[in-house]
Amino acid sequence: MKQTLPLAFCLVFSIASFQNFAIDRKPSGNYPPAKTNDIKMLSSFFYTASGNIADGNRVVFDAQYSNAIDGNDAIKLINPGENFGLLRDTRILAVEARQPIANGDTLFYNMTHLVSQQYRLDIVPQNLAGTTVSCELIDRYLNSRKTLSLNDTNHIAVEITSDPASRAVNRLMVVFSTAIVAAQPFEFLNISAINVDNKLVGINWKVSHEMEIVQYNVERSTDNVYYSNLAFSLPANNDHDAGNYEYRDTKPFNGENYYRVRSTDRTGRSTYSDEVKVNFAGPKPTMSIYPNPLVNRSFQLQLSQLLPGKYFIKLTNNSGQQVYSAPLQITGINFIQTISLGSNIGRGNYHLSIWSGNGIVNAQEIVVP
């Protein structure tokens, strides 16, 4: 008859004792004593919106334990508050001792008395990294599957609403796999950019297999040659599934805007998406000159709907010769400045224009009496 080894469980199971729970393996002729920090386990904790722990459970994996319920398992005592246990053969457990992980093994979570709020579920692996095991958290309510890390703590948002299905006792479960899955290369599946009512540009992109990605950078250009960084985003999933992302450019340039996304992986390697172009016709810059004709070769220049930056004012005669130029540093969307021309500017009609680095912004005829 196989000898089973008891675990030192406390049947009066409080959250504090659970967090500090230690496994006591007693030596026998068949199994040598093992150190606590060598034990393979998976612990799961529910935290409330205020950050307080609500309840939790733990699974221990070792060849000396049985998958049947016996003295090595701790039956959960249901309390009037939130309960988060493990369903095994119609029994609810606080701690389950079972055989080493096999392909298809499933942990059936059992949750009751949860209230409407967003909980945080922490799933904490111990000594499971570096194995050929992988696992997924399945959420029946959201109809989703999320690959869990066996290296670090997993933080998962679990929202409980007025919908009874969101608090179903069997909403969550973890499924293990020992199949070796070939690593799939990261790729951009698509990217798009849309002018939204001439108010902003919405950039959307979709990726696959972002397990190794650490950051995305949205880049913008006006000539599809020189790109500058516009924003960055962290990966949302870091798993084998597809990820969808969105960024809103609220200050696009008037005219053509080119966008692309650059991904960076853990090794520092970058991958670029395709480039997409959007024509953006924002508010048209306006210019007014007063008085015109000028008085004492001076006038007040008023500009509006210009992005802050460096501009130039140029004055040319009817032959196209430049007779005056000066820089303008515009700091706001509205700009007013008095311009005084020198005595070398003779009487006549002139062409006054405002220039930016991308070309002419606005122009108007003026008269110097």
Side-chain angles (χ1 to χ4, degrees), residues 125-137:
Q126 180 175 318
N127 296 322
L128 294 176
T131 65
T132 58
V133 174
S134 63
C135 64
E136 291 182 307
L137 176 70

Side-chain angles (χ1 to χ4, degrees), residues 193 201 203 219-220 230 249 252 257-260 274-276:
V201 175
I203 303 101
E219 299 180 346
R220 181 179 65 186
L230 190 60
D249 182 7
N257 292 262
Y258 295 86
Y259 298 93
R260 69 184 184 189
D274 293 334
E275 299 87 7
V276 288

Side-chain angles (χ1 to χ4, degrees), residues 111-116 139-142 158-172:
M111 59 186 201
T112 57
H113 299 170
L114 270 63
V115 299
S116 295
D139 188 327
R140 289 187 175 98
Y141 175 62
L142 298 179
V158 178
E159 186 172 7
I160 305 300
T161 68
S162 58
D163 186 348
S166 72
R167 63 190 74 217
V169 295
N170 64 344
R171 171 176 169 176
L172 303 173

Side-chain angles (χ1 to χ4, degrees), residues 306-309 311 328-335:
L306 281 179
L307 293 175
Y311 296 80
L328 296 174
Q329 187 64 43
I330 296 179
T331 58
I333 195 170
N334 294 310
F335 173 86

Side-chain angles (χ1 to χ4, degrees), residues 129-289:
T131 65
T132 58
V133 174
S134 63
C135 64
E136 291 182 307
L137 176 70
I138 296 178
D139 188 327
R140 289 187 175 98
Y141 175 62
L142 298 179
N143 192 26
S144 65
R145 305 175 71 99
K146 179 177 178 60
T147 301
L148 298 177
S149 170
L150 295 179
N151 295 285
D152 302 304
T153 299
N154 300 270
H155 304 291
I156 302 107
V158 178
E159 186 172 7
I160 305 300
T161 68
S162 58
D163 186 348
S166 72
R167 63 190 74 217
V169 295
N170 64 344
R171 171 176 169 176
L172 303 173
M173 63 181 180
V174 168
V175 178
F176 293 96
S177 173
T178 58
I180 299 176
V181 180
Q184 297 295 317
F186 167 84
E187 62 178 329
F188 285 97
L189 298 179
N190 59 58
I191 180 172
S192 63
I194 301 175
N195 183 337
V196 182
D197 299 328
N198 274 331
K199 296 180 180 178
L200 56 88
V201 175
I203 303 101
N204 296 270
W205 69 97
K206 185 177 181 179
V207 302
S208 67
H209 312 299
E210 63 175 2
M211 183 71 76
E212 299 299 316
I213 301 302
V214 296
Q215 183 170 303
Y216 298 104
N217 286 80
V218 181
E219 299 180 346
R220 181 179 65 186
S221 171
T222 57
D223 58 8
N224 201 24
V225 176
Y226 298 101
Y227 280 83
S228 59
N229 186 62
L230 190 60
F232 78 93
S233 175
L234 298 177
N237 300 315
N238 271 131
D239 57 24
H240 298 289
D241 296 328
N244 293 279
Y245 298 87
E246 178 183 7
Y247 176 74
R248 294 187 173 190
D249 182 7
T250 58
K251 295 181 178 179
F253 294 108
N254 284 337
E256 294 182 343
N257 292 262
Y258 295 86
Y259 298 93
R260 69 184 184 189
V261 178
R262 172 170 56 89
S263 69
T264 304
D265 66 18
R266 299 181 192 276
T267 68
R269 184 183 64 177
S270 294
T271 302
Y272 289 90
S273 70
D274 293 334
E275 299 87 7
V276 288
K277 182 178 74 172
V278 170
N279 286 311
F280 187 84
K284 187 177 181 180
T286 61
M287 178 175 70
S288 63
I289 297 172

Side-chain angles (χ1 to χ4, degrees), residues 2-37:
K2 179 180 177 181
Q3 179 183 5
T4 59
L5 301 176
L7 298 178
F9 291 140
C10 177
L11 292 181
V12 180
F13 194 79
S14 67
I15 293 301
S17 63
F18 179 80
Q19 287 179 293
N20 298 315
F21 177 76
I23 298 177
D24 176 22
R25 296 208 229 175
K26 298 182 179 179
S28 72
N30 295 327
Y31 299 99
K35 297 179 181 179
T36 302
N37 57 10

